[in-house]
């Protein structure tokens, strides 16, 4: 029996059971070990799921919400789930946000001109057409930012926060713009949330606080964040120019893809599994969240 791609998320969730066991004495997990092992074994016995993921990403590529790629992929998913024999397969209408990246760039302009590698953060506002050019202030924590609020005024704040784990480090990407705007910053650059990546930036979403101005935010690479840090540590005045065309358009109609496998023994009981089918626009959407789906 071949398990379709839609089962991968379920398998991944169950695969964490041994880890949970090590962290607690939850005896209720014991009953699930044997069926979880069978599911994992079946999923790893062939390349069905990998081939389906490749078909999705090769054919439709990235699937930013509101994009034509996403809508085509949704139609494909509905058709494939029906072929797999799932029941009550449907596309349930839902309004989704539309964020447009546009052209973007960032470069050091003083003490010398050096382009940096960047990716705008999802939901970010853009800069004026001429960009934002200002001196940088590199900080390693919110505490450092708040300890000298006057230093942030009129600056581009750079969060050079080493990656520890996703939950601890992602807060600088998510709320860093509003935290810096509170102190008068013009924009933020965030060290990519992740381990070293051969000068590869890592996008993701930011969340604006309602009571603060919206300022642009972008991710830069670990290597470039460390370069800016070294320049500042040498006492140099570092100026950066950021240009972003990013903007939000009105929500559009899309759909959640739903399918069911009605149980034989307990058809009235429900287990809900889900993942987002859209993806960021700078890759093929394989890891976030094609594989999960």
């Amino acid at each position: 029996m071949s398990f379709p791609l839609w089962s991968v998320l379920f398998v991944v969730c169950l695969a964490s059971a041994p880890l949970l066991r090590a962290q607690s004495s939850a005896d209720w997990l014991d009953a699930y070990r044997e069926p979880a092992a069978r599911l994992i074994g079946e999923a790893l016995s062939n390349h069905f799921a990998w081939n389906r993921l490749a078909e999705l990403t090769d054919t439709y590529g990235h699937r930013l919400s509101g994009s034509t790629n996403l809508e085509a992929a949704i139609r494909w998913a509905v058709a494939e789930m029906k072929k797999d024999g799932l029941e009550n397969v449907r596309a349930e209408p839902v309004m989704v946000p539309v964020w447009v990246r546009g052209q973007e760039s960032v470069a050091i302009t003083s003490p010398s001109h050096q382009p940096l590698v960047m990716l705008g953060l999802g939901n970010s506002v853009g800069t004026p057409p001429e960009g934002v050019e200002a001196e940088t202030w590199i900080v390693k924590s919110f505490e450092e930012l708040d300890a000298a609020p006057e230093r942030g005024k009129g600056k581009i704040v750079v969060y050079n926060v080493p990656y520890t784990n996703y939950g601890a480090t992602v807060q600088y990407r998510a709320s860093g713009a509003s935290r810096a705007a509170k102190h008068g910053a013009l924009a933020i650059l965030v060290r990519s949330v992740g381990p070293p990546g051969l000068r590869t930036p890592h996008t993701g979403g930011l969340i604006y606080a309602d009571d603060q101005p919206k300022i642009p935010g972008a991710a830069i690479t670990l290597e470039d964040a460390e370069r800016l840090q070294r320049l500042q540590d040498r006492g140099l005045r570092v100026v950066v120019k950021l240009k972003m065309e990013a903007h939000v358009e009105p929500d559009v109609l899309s759909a959640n893809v739903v399918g069911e496998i009605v149980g034989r023994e307990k058809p009235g009981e429900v287990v809900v599994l889900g993942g987002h089918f859209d993806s960021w626009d700078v890759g093929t959407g394989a890891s976030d969240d094609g594989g999960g789906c």
Side-chain angles (χ1 to χ4, degrees):
M1 176 181 183
S2 293
F3 278 76
L5 181 59
W6 329 114
S7 69
V8 174
L9 180 62
F10 183 46
V11 172
V12 171
C13 291
L14 290 178
S16 65
L19 177 61
L20 294 174
R21 176 68 174 183
Q23 294 174 338
S24 69
S25 58
D27 294 334
W28 64 270
L29 290 171
D30 291 339
Y32 297 96
R33 298 186 191 285
E34 190 276 331
R38 284 191 288 116
L39 285 167
I40 294 169
E42 176 64 29
L44 297 177
S45 68
N46 58 63
H47 294 94
F48 184 92
W50 192 96
N51 289 335
R52 172 155 289 171
L53 177 61
E55 180 181 354
L56 166 65
T57 56
D58 291 345
T59 307
Y60 302 102
H62 67 76
R63 304 172 301 282
L64 202 62
S65 67
S67 68
T68 56
N69 280 14
L70 175 61
E71 296 311 303
I74 286 173
R75 293 191 293 271
W76 170 86
V78 169
E80 291 300 305
M81 291 171 77
K82 289 180 178 178
K83 289 179 185 177
D84 291 337
L86 273 71
E87 302 161 87
N88 303 320
V89 178
R90 60 206 183 269
E92 296 183 346
V94 63
M95 300 300 290
V96 299
V98 180
W99 176 75
V100 179
R101 179 179 300 280
Q103 297 296 311
E104 54 187 17
S105 66
V106 64
I108 299 172
T109 58
S110 179
S112 63
H113 186 274
Q114 300 182 57
L116 304 179
V117 184
M118 60 85 77
L119 282 174
L121 298 178
N123 198 44
S124 175
V125 297
T127 65
E130 66 277 12
V132 172
E133 187 170 13
E135 183 179 353
T136 60
W137 178 32
I138 298 95
V139 298
K140 288 185 175 291
S141 67
F142 285 141
E143 289 74 20
E144 184 178 353
L145 175 75
D146 295 337
E150 70 285 350
R151 289 193 63 183
K153 188 173 183 180
K155 303 285 181 58
I156 294 178
V157 170
V158 181
Y159 292 103
N160 183 25
V161 183
Y163 178 76
T164 51
N165 62 68
Y166 192 75
T169 316
V170 75
Q171 61 179 319
Y172 293 93
R173 190 186 75 201
S175 61
S178 292
R179 294 287 293 264
K182 180 180 179 180
H183 302 314
L186 302 179
I188 65 160
L189 299 175
V190 180
R191 171 172 165 163
S192 289
V193 181
L198 298 176
R199 210 179 178 209
T200 302
H202 178 190
T203 191
L206 63 74
I207 303 170
Y208 288 117
D210 293 334
D211 60 347
Q212 298 299 332
K214 293 183 178 181
I215 62 174
I220 59 174
T221 67
L222 177 157
E223 294 87 348
D224 286 337
E226 288 290 86
R227 185 200 312 194
L228 292 172
Q229 184 75 62
R230 291 192 297 271
L231 290 169
Q232 177 173 285
D233 292 346
R234 295 184 190 121
L236 294 175
R237 178 178 180 270
V238 182
V239 177
V240 160
K241 186 171 186 177
L242 174 67
K243 297 181 72 173
M244 294 174 60
E245 293 179 344
H247 63 279
V248 175
E249 296 183 354
D251 292 357
V252 298
L253 183 65
S254 186
N256 286 320
V257 181
V258 181
E260 301 176 20
I261 302 174
V262 180
R264 292 187 299 271
E265 298 177 8
K266 298 180 179 180
E269 295 189 8
V270 178
V271 176
V272 179
L273 305 173
H276 64 84
F277 194 57
D278 60 344
S279 79
W280 289 111
D281 58 321
V282 290
T284 63
S287 62
D288 190 4
D289 190 29
C293 293

